[in-house]
Every structure is written in structure tokens, then in C-alpha cells.
Amino acid sequence: MFSLATAALAATIGLVLWSLAGYRLARRLGFGRAFALPVAPALGWAAQNVLALALAEMIGFSALAILASLALILVSTLPTAATEGAEDDELPPWWIAPAAGLLALVPALAVVPKHTADGVILAAAIFDHSKIALIDEMLRTGVPPVNPFYGPVGQPAEISYYYLWHFGAAQIARLAGATGWEADAAASWFTAFSTALLMAGLALRLGGNRLAPALALALCATGSLRPLLGWLAGAGLDQWLAPATGLAGWLFQTSWSPHHVAAAGSLVIAALLGVRLARRPDAPTCLVLALVMAAAFQSSFWVGGVVLALVALAFAPLLVCAAPARGRVRFVLAAAVAGLLALAFAAPLLLAQYHAALGRGGGSPVALRAYEVLGPLLTGQFGRVLDLPAYWLLLLPVEFPLVVIAGALTLLCRIGAPDEAPRRLEVRALALVAAVSFATSWLLVSTVGDNNDLGWRAVLPGLMVLTAAAAAGLAGLVARRARLALVAALALFAASLPAGAIILAGNAGGDASLSAAAFARAPAMWAAVRRAVPPQDRIASNPALFADMTPWPVNISWALLADRRSCFAGKELAIAFAPLAPAAREAISRQFLAVFDGRAGPDDVHALAERYDCRAVLVTARDGAWTRDPFAVSPDYRLVETEPDAWRLYRATAPASSPTVRP
């Protein structure tokens, strides 16, 4: 079902592949070893993935495309006079990388199955890793991938999601011979490792001493004050403060949505590259900046699209004014070229998301509205107007207590510090990233789905910057022996540790489920399906199968184990992956649920075969249709295989009416 050894092999391959590419790029761009080492994994991931995706679209997704993209990077970074930078900072301690690797196991555990005496259980975060089906699709059919979640007859089956992170997972799966599930765990570990190491290196770069990288990793393990406040205030907390959402710290967000975290790391790196481009507008910096910006967008529309665009607008006057007077025109041209190249790399995903937006309807995916902070006790009296100041004065200190307070104070002090000009400009640029990041979450909301994904994910670049800045500032306090400030910082750190411990316990222990024993038998069932159903065919299964194993009802066994396309993977996944208006999505969901509950008529079964291209149907003993089976009497399907008291597999009797339309 899932091999830890194979997942570890995939993670090792990713570590070597992306760290090697990133280190050579960082040295070629003039970064000294002190920063080239910690930035290498995240930088290499961004650049190599974008190049490999472009090559795979031209020559096919294979080991050749992967190794060719690496070769392009290595050849282009052969030692030159510019390779060795002038920077000569102190190297971070040697043990920082292993420590980051250990910390990264916490998010990776969210993906790993837990074998117990009762069967197999999963962590809550596995819900957001249902996108493993997309990794398997790329391994089967290449890129651009066919939509594995929904594909009606005669309609384009393009995937509108930002899938670069999942393509990266597919790359290491291809090289390691891993499944999509194993590769997702490996890629989750790598994303956590690379971004934690980036923050550690940035802490040293922001003026911290050798203690700063260690403090950055320690801050990554913290979380919200809500557990402590809930213990103190009890149920009354929800009256004052809106319930917890996906706006949370690095540890939580890396466990649930590592692709957004990877995009945030790319945005932070892009900010540093923008500063270097302003001071030295050369071709290598321009090209790498384009690749990194494209990686940010192709991994997260919210972080790499909305936030990156706003950061670029804010950066324009800062960097133009900072560029040498005689080189400003050259810088503006280089920045424009970098932007156009990034758009060119990201164009296929941009077009797919545009088409999906047209299919969904509903207008703009982003709206101007303050983040909802306060509970009913206050909003009932004052409305939502107090949410505006409460975001800064209440929500951010509650969710990121030590990071926000210490990080903001450190940046304010560093901006005016009498440091050398290049580093001072970097500090200002990073402070601007943080300001735009949190302001976006404050005032803009996403309208595509049921959740405010933009508000939740927009904080990530700012959170990374403030984590590094807080670590640098706290390291300075230790060096100066500022006891009072250190006592306050230690108190906030201790208060934010329970949230991190809760995340660790949830990821490692999983959530008990009545379906644990049945899920343990699911791999054999899906293996039989794969033997009988060709890779290009779509299968119908109950969207609510194993629904109690995830926080929201999805057929997690299909997403993790099927390695086959679904004709409709359920309402929850259709929100992000199907270009359907809400009313149509609800109607299709009701129809599929009725079929598998045994409440459907012949017309509904016929619709599965004719309209939704369901070439196979899996009915299990857990479905209502097991005893009221509409497929057994339907002329559209015939029984091809069964396991007594477990499952039945049907195949469509008519030939496919039309092949799946590729993007």
C-alpha cells in the first residue's frame, strides 16, 4: 500500500536533484556559501521544476526531460568569474540542515498511513492531499495532465489547478519508481525541509549570529495561542474570537498544503533576486528570477498570482529608486523581460485557470472584504467594522505570537540600521514582502470555493520573513543578555508550543475511524480495479466511500490507491478541479450519491455511461447500492469481477462514445 523505504528514496533523490541545481545557481548569481547552502534546495526546486515541465511538454514526461533540465542548469552555471560572490558571511552551523530534516518529518507524517490493531487510519490533513490522484495521472499519461477528477463526454478535460508542486512529486516518483502517495509524502518532507532551511539561512543573513538559524527552526515548531486561550477561557473564546481556520503557522500549513508553502518560499527568493537585479541587471539573474516567479504562480494562484503581483507593484518604486542612475533603464528592461518570461512559462496554467473561471461563472475570484476576526459577542453589537483593527491587534498576535511581534520589531530596527547598502535594501524589500503579504490577507478574500484560501495562504511569505527576522532579533537579545525581553520572549514561545505539539500528535497518530479495518483491505480492491480497467478509462465509485476518514467527505481510497481517473470524484474535490457552476456541481453530486445509495433510476445509471464517461463502476458492500444494485439490471453495464461480501466491478457495455479530450 505505502512503502516508507520508497518514500525515503524519493525524498533523497529530490534532495540531491534540487539542492545540486540550486547551489550552482546561487553561486552563479553571486551569493556566498553562507546563503547559497540554505537557499539551494528551495531555489533548485523552483528553477528545475519549471524547466523540466516545459521540456516535458515538448518531449514527453520521462527521466530524459528531468535529467536534461538538470543538465541545462549545471552547464549554464559552469565556474566563471562571477560564480564566486563577494559575500563572506559566517556559515550556519553544520547541524542546521539535519535539524531541518528532522523538523520536516512532522508535516510528512501527515501523509503517511498509520497501521493499528484496528486497521489503517489517516491524519486529518490527508484530505488536502487528495491531489495525489493528480500525481498518479501525470505518471500515467504525462503533461499537461488530463483532469482525473471530472471529465464528461465531449468536453475538454484540462486540469485548471496550479500543479507544479505535484509535477515535482511526479518527477521524483518517476526516478524512484514510487507511487503518487509515496511521492507526495517525499515532496511534503522536501518542501518543509527546504523552506525551513531557507528561513534559517535568512535569519543569519538578516544580521543574526550563529544562534539565529537554530532559533528560526524552533519558531517553525510553534503555533497559535488558541489552545492556551481555550484552556483559560473555555467555550467563551468562540464568543469573542471567530473559530480557527486555515490561517495558521508554517507547521500547520506545510502539513495541509505544501504547494502553497513552496510558492511562498519562491516568492521570498524572488524578492531577493529582484534586489540583485536592481543592482546588477544581467541575463543570469533575469532568467532565474523569471523561473522562480513562474514556479510561485504554477504552485499557488493565491501566493504566486495575487500576492506576487501586488508585491511586484510595491517593489517597482523601491527598486527603481535603488538602482544606479545610469543603470535604471537597463534594470526596468531586465525586470520587464523577467516578467514576460515568467508569464510565458506559466501561460498553459494561466489559460487553463481562465477557462475554468469561465465554466464556474460567478465573476471575479477575488473580492475586497476584511478578514473576519471577531466572534458574535462583538459583531452582534458593532458589526464587522472592528475586524479591521482586530486583524493586526488581535488575530496576528494570537496566531503567530512571537513571530509577529519579534519579527516586526527586528525588521523595523534593521531598516534604519547603518548597514551596507545592498543588505539594507534587502531588508527593506523583505519588510515590504511581509507588509503586502499580511495586508492582502487582511483586505482580500477568495470567492472560488467555500473557504477563503487567499486569506489563509497570503500570509505565508510574510510569515517566512518574520520568522527569520524574529530569529535574528532574538539571537541578538541573547548576545546582549537582554534578560527582561528574553523572559517575555520565552513566555510567548512556551505559550505557542502546545499548538505545535497538537499538530505533531495529529500528524503522527492520525484520527481513529470506524472504517480503519475496511480501509486496510482497500488496496487489494483497487489492485483488482487496475487490472480490469485501462489507464485511460474513467471509473465511478461512491464519492462518500470512507467519508468518515477525512474531515470533509471524499473517497480518500480512490485518491490514494486507485491510480485511475474518476468520472466524478465528489463535490468537495469538484470545487477546485471541475469547471462547474455551484448549482451544476450540487446537482451532479446529488445524482452520484443517489446512484450509490441505491435510490437512483435507470436514467441516472444511463447518465453515468453516456454523459459522464464512466467506463467502469465499483460498488462496495459499504454502499446502499450493494443491496439495491441498479447496475445489475442495467443494459449499460455488465459485471466483470466480484469479491463476495466486498465489492463488484462493472464495465460499460457500449464502446466509448468519444475519447477524452486532452488539454
Side-chain angles (χ1 to χ4, degrees), residues 37 268 284 312 380 406 439 507 546 566 576 610:
L37 288 168
V268 171
N507 288 356
F546 296 110
S566 174
E610 184 179 65

Side-chain angles (χ1 to χ4, degrees), residues 26-31 78-86 276 280 282 284:
R27 297 296 278 153
R28 179 65 180 85
L29 296 178
F31 288 108
L78 289 174
T80 66
T83 299
E84 297 299 325
R276 295 190 93 75
R280 189 180 65 192
D282 57 11

Side-chain angles (χ1 to χ4, degrees), residues 305-620:
V306 178
V307 180
L308 179 59
L310 294 174
V311 167
L313 288 175
F315 264 33
L318 173 69
L319 297 185
V320 168
C321 292
R326 298 180 62 179
R328 283 177 185 164
V329 173
R330 187 179 177 189
F331 163 67
V332 171
L333 290 175
V337 169
L340 291 174
L341 284 173
L343 287 173
F345 281 120
L349 272 72
L350 274 170
L351 292 173
Q353 293 193 46
Y354 172 72
H355 294 153
L358 293 179
R360 292 190 184 100
S364 171
V366 177
L368 181 64
R369 187 166 69 241
Y371 196 98
E372 296 185 0
V373 177
L374 300 174
L377 191 64
L378 293 174
T379 56
Q381 299 180 34
F382 303 101
R384 303 238 64 107
V385 65
L386 292 182
D387 284 336
L388 288 167
Y391 176 86
W392 300 98
L393 300 177
L394 183 60
L395 182 65
L396 295 186
V398 165
E399 297 298 345
F400 322 112
L402 186 53
V403 165
V404 163
I405 296 171
L409 290 175
T410 301
L411 282 181
L412 288 173
C413 294
R414 292 287 193 273
I415 286 174
D419 202 353
E420 55 180 308
R423 201 59 56 85
R424 187 165 62 245
L425 181 58
E426 282 187 359
V427 172
R428 291 176 178 175
L430 291 171
L432 199 55
V433 167
V436 172
S437 173
F438 287 107
T440 302
S441 173
W442 180 40
L443 294 176
L444 296 179
V445 300
S446 52
T447 61
V448 173
D450 298 332
N451 299 320
N452 180 16
D453 279 310
L454 173 57
W456 298 353
R457 314 310 176 194
V459 301
L460 282 167
L463 189 59
M464 288 186 180
V465 170
L466 290 188
T467 298
L474 293 172
L477 292 178
V478 172
R480 296 194 300 273
R481 299 183 179 180
R483 295 179 181 177
L484 185 61
L486 286 174
V487 168
L490 186 60
L492 281 176
F493 179 77
S496 58
L497 274 180
I502 291 171
I503 295 170
L504 170 60
N507 288 356
D511 293 337
S513 168
L514 295 176
S515 299
F519 191 86
R521 297 189 295 269
M525 176 180 72
W526 287 110
V529 171
R530 289 194 298 274
R531 289 193 299 268
V533 179
Q536 73 276 8
D537 282 2
R538 293 188 180 271
I539 185 168
S541 61
N542 187 353
L545 186 64
F546 296 110
D548 62 326
M549 297 192 73
T550 52
W552 296 273
V554 296
N555 185 347
I556 196 65
S557 73
W558 166 79
L560 301 179
L561 299 167
D563 196 15
R564 290 296 181 269
R565 299 169 187 164
S566 174
C567 43
F568 183 72
K571 180 177 65 175
E572 296 294 337
L573 294 178
I575 292 173
F577 298 106
L580 292 168
R585 186 171 63 235
E586 287 288 342
I588 297 171
S589 176
R590 285 195 299 269
Q591 187 174 31
F592 271 76
L593 290 174
V595 166
F596 285 95
D597 194 38
R599 297 180 287 106
D603 290 343
D604 296 304
V605 174
H606 183 65
L608 263 63
E610 184 179 65
R611 187 185 309 167
Y612 301 118
D613 196 27
C614 302
R615 303 297 304 155
V617 176
L618 178 67
V619 179
T620 75

Side-chain angles (χ1 to χ4, degrees), residues 72-90:
L72 281 174
I73 292 173
L74 296 181
V75 170
S76 66
T77 56
L78 289 174
T80 66
T83 299
E84 297 299 325
E87 298 176 350
D88 191 24
D89 290 339
E90 187 178 19

Side-chain angles (χ1 to χ4, degrees), residues 8 40 52 55 65 116 153-154 224 235 260 269 278 326 330 341 377 527 633 657:
L55 282 174
T116 70
V153 172
S224 172
H260 294 296
I269 294 172
R326 298 180 62 179
R330 187 179 177 189
L341 284 173
L377 191 64
V633 295
S657 56

